[in-house]
Amino acid sequence: MTPSDDLARNRAFWDGQAHAYAEAGERSWSGEPNWGLWDVPEAELGLLPTDMTGLDAIELGCGTAYVSAWLARRGARPVGIDNSPEQLATARRLQTTHGLAFPLHLGNAEATPFPDASFDFAISEYGAAIWCDPHRWIPEAARLLRPGGQLVFLGNSSLMMLAMPEPENEAATARLLRPQRGMHRFEWPESTGVEYHISHGEWIRLLRRSGFEVEDLIEVYPPDRADGPTRPYPFVDRAWASAWPCEEVWKARKRR
Ligand SMILES: C[S@@+](CC[C@H](N)C(=O)[O-])C[C@H]1O[C@@H](n2cnc3c(N)ncnc32)[C@H](O)[C@@H]1O
């Protein structure tokens, strides 16, 4: 399978999903920043720099671009790039609804058209973080960032990927279902999309090789809230995610 095949497959997959994701996009555009499957508030996770005034920021795999909207409201100058015209159509509609304009590009976050060292901050929430090949998008993020610039990304935890069952309607159990060794490209029987997940050691080596210092690896657990979702997606429930992290955030800074 060549990279361009995966890109085409993921474009078709996300164009097909866009309608179903529009409502979540609308909610997130209207709300305060919160993250991942469990809607963990930014105040608890701290993914964003407190002062983003004047920062050039890029969202890699922006989808409906609510993260970019949050960045813009914090004073940054965001640019979103996404591979799906339909996801970007929702993002453009929401820009109009909210009267908030920033550039949105149709393209591949693994090979963007932007000049070297043109951003101070790069972020992905389930965009490039899981849908792009890390061996291509991490070096690209390093190229885009200025020395001292920060990269933050959130996706499924490596551990979760080892325990996630193949039938989509089953939730993870305490059994490891596949080897960690060599983990990289994932296809699922009930999905046409292609994901990428690598082990922690691979992430650290790749980030360092690409010119980053790793600042943090935050394991995400559901907040203790009585009103939170018990099973936001079929593949994981609150009991599992309270014992083991089903999501993780990497923070890295480009070496000066
Ligand atoms: C779950 S969405 C995450 C984005 C955003 N947080 C949201 O929920 O709308 C995944 C996005 O990654 C995008 N994507 C997948 N492969 C991509 C690639 N190679 N380059 C840029 N975007 C990509 C998809 O088109 C999709 O909009």
Side-chain angles (χ1 to χ4, degrees):
M1 186 71 64
T2 64
S4 62
D5 288 332
D6 285 359
L7 198 65
R9 273 176 66 166
N10 281 342
R11 175 169 293 184
F13 176 76
W14 276 104
D15 277 349
Q17 294 288 313
H19 183 69
Y21 273 74
E23 198 186 317
E26 283 160 19
R27 266 199 314 277
S28 297
W29 263 81
S30 300
E32 290 298 312
N34 62 48
W35 302 103
L37 303 184
W38 308 102
D39 295 335
V40 186
E42 165 61 14
E44 281 176 42
L45 271 193
L47 266 57
L48 305 178
T50 4
D51 185 8
M52 299 200 74
T53 313
L55 292 189
D56 292 308
I58 182 154
E59 185 181 2
L60 297 162
C62 64
T64 57
Y66 53 83
V67 173
S68 291
W70 297 338
L71 303 185
R73 292 190 192 120
R74 291 183 163 227
R77 290 186 291 259
V79 172
I81 182 164
D82 199 278
N83 180 41
S84 157
E86 293 299 327
Q87 285 276 81
L88 289 178
T90 305
R92 292 203 175 90
R93 174 171 63 76
L94 289 167
Q95 284 190 324
T96 308
T97 307
H98 290 266
L100 197 57
F102 47 82
L104 290 168
H105 288 263
L106 175 63
N108 180 5
E110 299 169 344
T112 73
F114 310 112
D116 293 358
S118 42
F119 296 97
D120 306 294
F121 186 74
I123 189 161
S124 170
E125 186 200 30
Y126 282 107
I130 72 161
W131 296 97
C132 289
D133 187 336
H135 298 289
R136 288 190 289 268
W137 83 267
I138 292 291
E140 178 65 358
R143 184 187 73 75
L144 292 174
L145 283 169
R146 299 180 178 126
Q150 196 184 29
L151 170 66
V152 174
F153 57 97
L154 180 153
N156 310 106
S157 71
S158 301
L159 179 61
M160 175 77 201
M161 300 318 297
L162 304 182
M164 196 184 275
E166 294 222 333
E168 262 184 6
N169 57 354
E170 281 180 26
T173 66
R175 251 185 90 216
L176 297 178
L177 300 174
R178 53 191 67 84
Q180 169 172 308
R181 190 174 190 174
M183 68 188 282
H184 176 226
R185 185 176 177 279
F186 284 69
E187 291 178 275
W188 305 99
E190 291 163 57
S191 168
T192 51
V194 180
E195 298 171 30
Y196 297 90
H197 303 273
I198 58 177
S199 69
H200 287 174
E202 289 290 323
W203 275 122
I204 290 168
R205 280 186 292 280
L206 173 60
L207 284 161
R208 290 185 55 79
R209 207 165 55 232
S210 306
F212 288 104
E213 288 301 334
V214 175
E215 291 190 319
D216 208 348
L217 167 57
I218 305 170
E219 290 115 350
V220 183
Y221 296 100
D224 291 326
R225 270 201 320 258
D227 62 339
T230 50
R231 198 170 162 189
Y233 276 78
F235 55 78
V236 69
D237 59 32
R238 182 174 275 265
W240 196 99
S242 300
W244 301 283
C246 72
E247 299 177 296
E248 61 198 25
V249 178
W250 287 88
K251 287 185 175 184
R253 197 167 292 274
K254 184 166 171 187
R255 273 183 222 116
R256 289 182 192 279

